[in-house]
Amino acid sequence: MVKIAPSILSADFAKLGEDIVAIDKAGADFIHIDVMDGNYVPNISIGLPVIKSIRKYTEKTFDVHLMIEEPGRFIDDFIAVGADLITVHYEADRHVDRTIQYIKSKGIKAGIVLNPGTPVSMIKDLIPALDMVLIMSVNPGFGGQKFIEYSLNKIAEVKELSEKYNKELLIQVDGGIDASNIKKVVDAGANVIVAGSAVFKDGKVEENIAALRKSLK
């Protein structure tokens, strides 16, 4: 079954706890948390104290996407505040294999993120060790961008590697996904969909998640 991972970057931060409860009740599978440092990406977002404060609102998987330089320095900190799955950008970590192995040694699931301009071939050797690959279908740093069509080819490439080397691999896609294009993303091989604006628009969380799932039928 395809998992839906609402990105709380698009939530109302004045009532973040309430929004998390709402997406939990609406059937979200993961809570996608975008962490930006203003260095690796040109924006600053959610940090450790916020993640710690919202952990009590749900038992759903905290899917923490680290858009930060040298993420290996902070793995223990994010585990301490409740991360269940941590993804790091291939481009941001000089020793990404070491970081992945360290995350897994702590009993946490680990993933690698690829920016639009980074080829899938760069992570071929790491596929057997990963729990998830996240394909960015927009350039990271801001919500509300348009889906990059060539991402579909990259999703298919990761799916092919998964079939060969790691059939349990989660293939997540993040950026510009809504009810109009979710099916083609899943048909290309994705099984975890990140959606921000498409989930939180107009405050109709339950209806919006239902619409995403309906579009897959």
Side-chain angles (χ1 to χ4, degrees), residues 110-127:
I112 284 182
V113 192
L114 293 179
N115 281 338
T118 304
V120 171
S121 59
M122 303 300 286
I123 62 165
K124 178 183 176 181
D125 292 338
L126 296 170
I127 292 291

Side-chain angles (χ1 to χ4, degrees), residues 42-74:
N43 203 355
I44 296 174
S45 67
I46 298 165
L48 294 163
V50 174
I51 298 173
K52 183 178 180 180
S53 72
I54 61 176
R55 180 69 272 190
K56 62 187 176 185
Y57 288 98
T58 180
E59 294 183 359
K60 294 288 175 70
T61 296
F62 268 18
D63 162 25
V64 179
H65 173 192
L66 299 183
M67 288 178 264
I68 63 178
E69 292 284 358
E70 298 181 42
R73 298 175 295 163
F74 302 103

Side-chain angles (χ1 to χ4, degrees), residues 146-174:
K146 185 178 179 181
F147 181 84
I148 295 173
E149 289 295 325
Y150 67 71
S151 303
L152 296 170
N153 297 329
K154 297 179 72 175
I155 297 164
E157 287 183 60
V158 175
K159 179 64 174 177
E160 185 176 348
L161 290 173
S162 170
E163 289 296 323
K164 288 183 179 179
Y165 305 114
N166 183 355
K167 292 185 184 296
E168 301 301 313
L169 185 71
L170 295 173
I171 303 173
Q172 186 178 67
V173 185
D174 181 1

